[in-house]
């Protein structure tokens, strides 16, 4: 990862991801972009051609940084930006199969486009957005993307079924979850979940997942492959 605020990415070394690193399931290197500046002010940005608000990140600095960081084993360059294609669970799975990912954290009004165009001459460049809103920089998006990707790596999650059964894995939103006590503030756990009848439980969970998806994200239902819903699903 390359950023002018390396400490922003420190949370990646905590908790589950930190344990995955210490177990050797992945390696994480954060580079300070300013290491590739040569002036006393360590300038990384400049005024935009054509005018307009804000500053643009300079191609020389980013170009030198990516020349170094992209050298070595083949990598895929990921650039978080509100102008990117949506980052989805499917793209997280695609990224999790990559040997190496390099993340460029832009700030200000973004990185000079020629940096991405130049990088695209030698690696796959993915400009991705984690949602239709604008952050101050790419670092927070990288935290989200890396967490979504790393949890899919074999051995990272305690139970591999977790990743296989969570939201979006079957194209639907996950339904409600419950744990002890059976009744809490007058609210009871649905009886079916305590029935021990796993066929009924699976059906109930699928129904709740379909209902929630229909209510909150009908677009996901529209996007399902024709054969994704079985007769019981359609009966709901
Ligand atoms: N929406 C985004 O992914 C984003 C990245 C940087 N700023 O916003």
């Amino acid at each position: 990862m390359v950023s002018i605020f390396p400490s922003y990415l420190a949370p990646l070394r905590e908790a589950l991801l930190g344990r995955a690193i210490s177990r050797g399931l992945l390696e994480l290197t954060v580079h300070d972009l300013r290491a590739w500046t040569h002036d006393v002010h360590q300038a990384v940005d400049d005024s935009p051609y054509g005018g307009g608000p804000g500053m643009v990140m300079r191609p020389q600095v980013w170009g030198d940084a990516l020349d170094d960081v992209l050298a070595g084993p083949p990598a895929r360059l990921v650039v978080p930006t509100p102008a990117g294609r949506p980052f989805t669970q499917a793209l997280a799975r695609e990224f999790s199969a990559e040997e190496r990912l390099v993340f460029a954290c832009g700030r200000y009004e973004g990185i000079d486009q020629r940096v991405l165009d130049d990088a695209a001459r030698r690696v796959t460049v993915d400009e991705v957005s984690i949602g239709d809103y604008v952050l101050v920089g790419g670092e927070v998006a990288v935290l989200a993307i890396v967490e979504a990707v790393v949890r899919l790596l074999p051995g990272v999650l305690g139970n591999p079924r977790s990743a296989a059964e969570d939201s979006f894995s079957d194209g639907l939103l996950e339904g409600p979850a419950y744990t002890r006590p059976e009744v809490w503030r007058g609210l009871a756990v649905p009886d079916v979940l305590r029935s021990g009848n796993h066929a009924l439980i699976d059906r109930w969970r699928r129904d709740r997942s379909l209902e929630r998806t229909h209510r909150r994200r009908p677009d996901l239902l529209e996007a399902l492959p024709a054969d994704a819903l079985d007769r019981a699903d359609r009966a709901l």
Side-chain angles (χ1 to χ4, degrees):
M1 295 160 195
V2 184
S3 166
I4 57 171
F5 294 114
S7 58
Y8 232 104
L9 298 168
L12 291 175
R13 297 187 189 281
E14 299 294 327
L16 189 81
L17 271 61
R19 286 196 296 276
I21 293 169
S22 56
R23 289 164 57 205
L25 297 176
L26 78 145
E27 290 178 20
L28 180 70
T29 307
V30 180
H31 302 274
D32 185 341
L33 178 68
R34 295 192 195 277
W36 284 274
T37 60
H38 305 292
D39 62 303
V40 66
H41 299 296
Q42 296 192 306
V44 294
D45 61 313
D46 202 339
S47 305
Y49 273 114
M55 305 290 273
V56 177
M57 300 192 92
R58 299 170 61 207
Q60 306 94 319
V61 181
W62 269 109
D64 290 350
L66 292 180
D67 285 351
D68 289 350
V69 176
L70 288 173
R76 190 162 174 174
L77 178 62
V78 181
V79 186
T81 167
R85 67 179 171 131
F87 177 69
T88 62
Q89 189 69 16
L91 191 50
R93 284 204 177 282
E94 197 178 313
F95 284 174
S96 69
E98 293 290 338
E99 186 59 34
R100 191 157 78 105
L101 297 172
V102 172
F103 293 88
C105 299
R107 286 254 150 183
Y108 313 113
E109 295 304 312
I111 302 171
D112 186 299
Q113 185 60 42
R114 291 168 294 180
V115 172
L116 309 185
D117 297 344
D118 173 62
R121 291 167 171 165
R122 44 205 156 130
V123 299
T124 300
V125 179
D126 296 275
E127 295 183 67
V128 298
S129 169
I130 61 168
D132 292 340
Y133 41 81
V134 182
L135 302 167
V136 177
E139 287 81 3
V140 166
V142 167
L143 292 176
I145 293 166
V146 168
E147 183 163 305
V149 172
V150 168
R151 67 186 292 277
L152 298 175
L153 297 178
V156 170
L157 292 180
N159 181 342
R161 275 187 60 189
S162 299
E165 298 177 7
D166 60 11
S167 279
F168 305 104
S169 55
D170 57 0
L172 301 175
L173 300 184
E174 211 167 16
Y178 301 86
T179 187
R180 284 186 287 268
E182 280 183 31
V183 180
W184 177 74
R185 294 188 181 179
L187 300 169
V189 172
D191 291 338
V192 64
L193 296 181
R194 296 185 297 110
S195 68
N197 181 329
H198 290 286
L200 272 182
I201 291 169
D202 289 346
R203 182 69 255 165
W204 183 88
R205 284 176 167 161
R206 175 78 172 179
D207 289 349
R208 300 297 76 71
S209 173
L210 286 162
E211 280 172 355
R212 179 175 280 186
T213 307
H214 177 70
R215 268 200 322 275
R216 298 180 182 173
R217 290 292 305 278
D219 58 299
L220 293 178
L221 285 178
E222 294 299 319
L224 285 176
D227 59 352
L229 299 180
D230 63 27
R231 186 189 305 270
D233 295 337
R234 290 193 172 84
L236 185 68

